[in-house]
Amino acid sequence: MNSIKLPKKKAMFQLNRVGMDIAVIYMFILLGLVSIPSLIEQLTASSGLAADLNVIFKLIYFFMFYYLPLTILVFIAISFMAYIGRGITHFMQRKLRYSLLWKMVAFTTTIPFILYIIIAFIIPVRDAYLLLTFIFSIGLLLKMISIYPKRRK
């Protein structure tokens, strides 16, 4: 719930107390939810390469060729955005570490991912949505970085 309330100060500081292991598990669960529309589409497909496969093989195929690459790409994107955030914190002279920035970026993806789940059930989602998600997360990250106090000299 706190990740939906971002960039409010109280929600942000409560999420910063969450351990990195919980943040990673949260991302795995969120990505699992994001991949549900594609899983349903693959299971109900009547034509294509995987149409004649058993349900168990379809699940294995889905995990190997959709969920796993999606997870890897999202974790790389989060790490890249946290790295950008590290540069921003240096420029704005704030005292934030990379691990804290990584968690903050991970939690900013909640709203775009939930919107993706809802939209994907209604209509196919274009790749431009990923750019909007990136811009949204960087915007929230900038807002959250500005809340932190400046470094003492």
Side-chain angles (χ1 to χ4, degrees):
M1 289 307 295
N2 284 323
S3 59
I4 294 173
K5 296 176 185 176
L6 288 175
K8 291 184 180 178
K9 193 173 188 176
K10 183 178 178 182
M12 185 175 64
F13 286 123
Q14 285 181 342
L15 288 173
N16 289 341
R17 290 187 194 102
V18 172
M20 187 63 119
D21 55 342
I22 301 298
V24 171
I25 291 170
Y26 175 76
M27 286 307 300
F28 280 122
I29 292 169
L30 192 59
L31 289 172
L33 293 173
V34 164
S35 60
I36 287 174
S38 295
L39 176 63
I40 292 172
E41 180 182 320
Q42 188 173 5
L43 289 175
T44 59
S46 59
S47 64
L49 292 174
D52 297 331
L53 291 177
N54 188 355
V55 173
I56 293 172
F57 288 119
K58 283 184 180 182
L59 290 173
I60 292 170
Y61 179 82
F62 174 79
F63 177 76
M64 287 177 54
F65 295 109
Y66 185 82
Y67 180 76
L68 196 57
L70 174 72
T71 303
I72 292 169
L73 289 174
V74 167
F75 274 72
I76 289 171
I78 289 173
S79 299
F80 178 70
M81 284 191 278
Y83 187 72
I84 290 172
R86 184 72 181 121
I88 294 168
T89 58
H90 182 70
F91 179 73
M92 293 175 72
Q93 299 177 349
R94 307 291 186 201
K95 44 183 175 179
L96 288 166
R97 291 182 308 230
Y98 179 81
S99 61
L100 195 56
L101 290 166
W102 197 95
K103 284 192 301 186
M104 287 167 49
V105 171
F107 289 125
T108 62
T109 61
T110 301
I111 293 172
F113 284 169
I114 290 173
L115 284 175
Y116 173 83
I117 295 167
I118 295 168
I119 294 170
F121 276 121
I122 301 169
I123 58 171
V125 181
R126 300 177 55 92
D127 292 338
Y129 186 80
L130 296 174
L131 178 63
L132 293 174
T133 300
F134 183 80
I135 292 169
F136 178 80
S137 293
I138 291 294
L140 272 181
L141 185 64
L142 279 168
K143 177 74 175 153
M144 290 187 294
I145 288 172
S146 67
I147 292 174
Y148 273 85
K150 287 191 174 193
R151 292 179 188 247
R152 292 183 185 163
K153 292 186 180 189

